[in-house]
């Protein structure tokens, strides 16, 4: 018997714990860089059981993601605020709201943005619709955004494990919608605008972001306190991938809109919202048992549905 009253197993456990602590101190910390983050996002999309359309059988909602990075100092954040309104938040605003009192500057921050592309089967099914979303499209809007939120939380948690603080803007209490300004309805952080800043795509006539995997996707972002070189923006104009703006052709999304919210003059966001968030909410509840909303007809059955279109496709 030990005079201290400890058992042999107690002593052994403490010795092992001390040895483990010493080993952890010797072990180098994870290097959080662009490659690490890209792998973290891609692995979760590839392996998570939450990447599902919610059928009785397993069917993935998203294909392999795109990932890009933007600097916290990018002049676009202030440009967005100047155009959208003073209520629009910069990466530093959102980070400081999540970590009040922290000594952080825009130079310390990077924005991680991703594109989660819908599958070819989902795009084809949606392209066949003329007035209401297809079953897979409705499920992508609902279960896909649940997965997108799971990815946001997963990346934030993995970064925290690596001792790197971060915040997902759309999961932050600081995020909210707005009916202010010339671009209303809008919000104080736009995932599509973050993706544009991260070099992932440019805007089309319907305001959707056209990427190298098309414009049928969900998108998300996380603001992270680590210095990462920004991705190249392979375009100079925010409409560079849209044939309507670059060649004066296409406009095929106009005919796809069931409520004439699209025209050569642009996108009537209020008419679109009335149909999408109200009429289609009732339709989805009745038809699919999903209390959510969707439309997305302008995102499929068009040249930019699955890639950046060439001039000959207009």
């Amino acid at each position: 018997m030990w005079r201290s009253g400890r058992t042999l197993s107690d002593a052994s456990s403490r010795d092992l714990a001390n040895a483990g602590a010493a080993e952890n101190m010797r072990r180098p910390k994870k290097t959080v860089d662009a490659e690490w983050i890209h792998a973290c996002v891609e692995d979760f999309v590839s392996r998570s059981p939450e990447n599902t359309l919610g059928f009785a059988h397993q069917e993935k909602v998203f294909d392999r993601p795109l990932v890009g990075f933007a600097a916290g100092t990018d002049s676009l954040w202030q440009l967005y605020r100047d155009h959208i309104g003073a209520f629009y938040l910069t990466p530093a605003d959102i980070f400081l709201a999540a970590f009040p009192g922290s000594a952080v500057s825009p130079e310390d921050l990077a924005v991680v943005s991703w594109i989660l592309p819908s599958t070819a089967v989902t795009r084809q099914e949606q392209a066949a619709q003329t007035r209401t979303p297809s079953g897979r499209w409705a499920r992508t809007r609902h279960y896909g955004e649940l997965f997108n939120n799971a990815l946001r939380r997963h990346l934030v948690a993995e970064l925290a494990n690596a001792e790197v603080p971060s915040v997902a803007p759309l999961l932050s209490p600081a995020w909210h919608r707005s009916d202010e300004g010339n671009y209303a309805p809008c919000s104080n952080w736009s995932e599509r605008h973050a993706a544009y800043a991260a070099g992932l795509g440019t805007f089309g006539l319907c305001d959707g972001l056209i990427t190298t995997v098309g414009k049928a996707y969900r998108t998300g972002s996380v603001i992270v306190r680590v210095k990462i070189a920004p991705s190249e923006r392979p375009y100079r104009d925010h409409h560079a991938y849209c044939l309507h703006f670059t060649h004066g052709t296409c406009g095929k999304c106009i005919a796809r809109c069931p409520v004439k919210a699209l025209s050569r003059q642009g996108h009537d966001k209020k008419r679109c919202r009335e149909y999408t968030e109200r009429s289609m909410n009732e339709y989805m509840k009745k038809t699919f048992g999903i209390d959510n909303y969707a439309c997305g007809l302008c995102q499929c059955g068009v040249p930019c549905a699955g890639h950046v279109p060439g001039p000959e496709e207009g």
Side-chain angles (χ1 to χ4, degrees), residues 38 44 63 65-66 78 81 95 100 109 124 129 139 167-168 171 174 177 181 186 211-212 216 249 279 312 314:
H38 198 145
F44 190 73
D63 282 334
L66 304 178
Q78 185 58 48
R81 174 176 280 178
F95 190 89
L109 301 175
Q124 291 164 7
Q129 299 294 109
R139 287 173 175 272
V167 57
L171 299 183
R177 283 183 158 192
C186 57
T211 76
T212 55
T249 60
S279 298
E312 71 282 359

Side-chain angles (χ1 to χ4, degrees), residues 192-193 196 201-205 207-210 238-240 242 245:
R192 287 178 296 112
H193 285 72
Y196 173 82
T202 75
F203 295 90
L205 182 62
D207 287 340
L209 197 76
I210 302 170
H238 66 288
H239 287 136
C242 179
F245 290 104

Side-chain angles (χ1 to χ4, degrees), residues 175-212:
W175 182 84
H176 62 79
R177 283 183 158 192
S178 174
D179 284 319
E180 297 180 44
N182 295 329
Y183 296 93
C186 57
S187 63
N188 61 353
W189 176 266
S190 165
E191 299 285 45
R192 287 178 296 112
H193 285 72
Y196 173 82
L200 294 177
T202 75
F203 295 90
L205 182 62
C206 72
D207 287 340
L209 197 76
I210 302 170
T211 76
T212 55

Side-chain angles (χ1 to χ4, degrees), residues 213-225:
V213 292
K215 62 177 180 178
Y217 59 81
R218 303 299 299 171
T219 180
S221 66
V222 163
I223 299 165
V224 56
R225 186 170 186 172

Side-chain angles (χ1 to χ4, degrees), residues 48-272:
S48 172
E50 295 180 79
N51 183 8
T52 178
L53 280 168
F55 291 120
H57 63 280
Q58 178 65 22
E59 182 178 338
K60 285 189 175 183
V61 60
F62 296 123
D63 282 334
R64 187 176 182 179
L66 304 178
V67 181
F69 304 89
T73 55
D74 198 308
S75 61
L76 278 176
W77 309 122
Q78 185 58 48
L79 183 67
Y80 292 161
R81 174 176 280 178
D82 292 342
H83 278 268
I84 297 169
F87 61 89
Y88 197 83
L89 301 177
T90 67
D93 293 331
I94 296 175
F95 190 89
L96 287 170
F99 300 95
S102 60
V104 66
S105 66
E107 290 78 9
D108 302 319
L109 301 175
V111 176
V112 183
S113 177
W114 59 80
I115 299 293
L116 302 174
S118 296
T119 65
V121 172
T122 296
R123 294 197 307 271
Q124 291 164 7
E125 185 180 87
Q126 177 74 348
Q129 299 294 109
T130 58
R131 187 157 190 88
T132 57
S134 73
R136 281 185 172 83
W137 190 269
R139 287 173 175 272
T140 296
R141 176 65 181 86
H142 183 68
Y143 294 105
E145 192 56 25
L146 290 177
F147 174 75
N148 201 8
N149 281 337
L151 174 55
R152 291 177 174 110
R153 289 190 293 268
H154 173 75
L155 181 56
V156 168
E158 289 297 298
L159 287 164
N161 288 338
E163 300 181 10
V164 175
S166 64
V167 57
L170 261 70
L171 299 183
S172 166
W175 182 84
H176 62 79
R177 283 183 158 192
S178 174
D179 284 319
E180 297 180 44
N182 295 329
Y183 296 93
C186 57
S187 63
N188 61 353
W189 176 266
S190 165
E191 299 285 45
R192 287 178 296 112
H193 285 72
Y196 173 82
L200 294 177
T202 75
F203 295 90
L205 182 62
C206 72
D207 287 340
L209 197 76
I210 302 170
T211 76
T212 55
V213 292
K215 62 177 180 178
Y217 59 81
R218 303 299 299 171
T219 180
S221 66
V222 163
I223 299 165
V224 56
R225 186 170 186 172
V226 68
K227 293 183 179 180
I228 297 175
S231 304
E232 177 190 2
R233 281 200 289 268
Y235 38 76
R236 294 185 178 181
D237 184 84
H238 66 288
H239 287 136
Y241 294 164
C242 179
L243 295 176
H244 165 74
F245 290 104
T246 58
H247 291 78
T249 60
C250 195
K252 294 177 182 178
C253 57
I254 297 173
R256 293 282 293 162
C257 181
V259 292
K260 302 187 184 305
L262 293 176
S263 69
R264 291 283 177 180
Q265 285 65 52
H267 178 205
D268 185 332
K269 295 175 72 174
K270 292 182 179 178
R271 177 176 289 188
C272 176

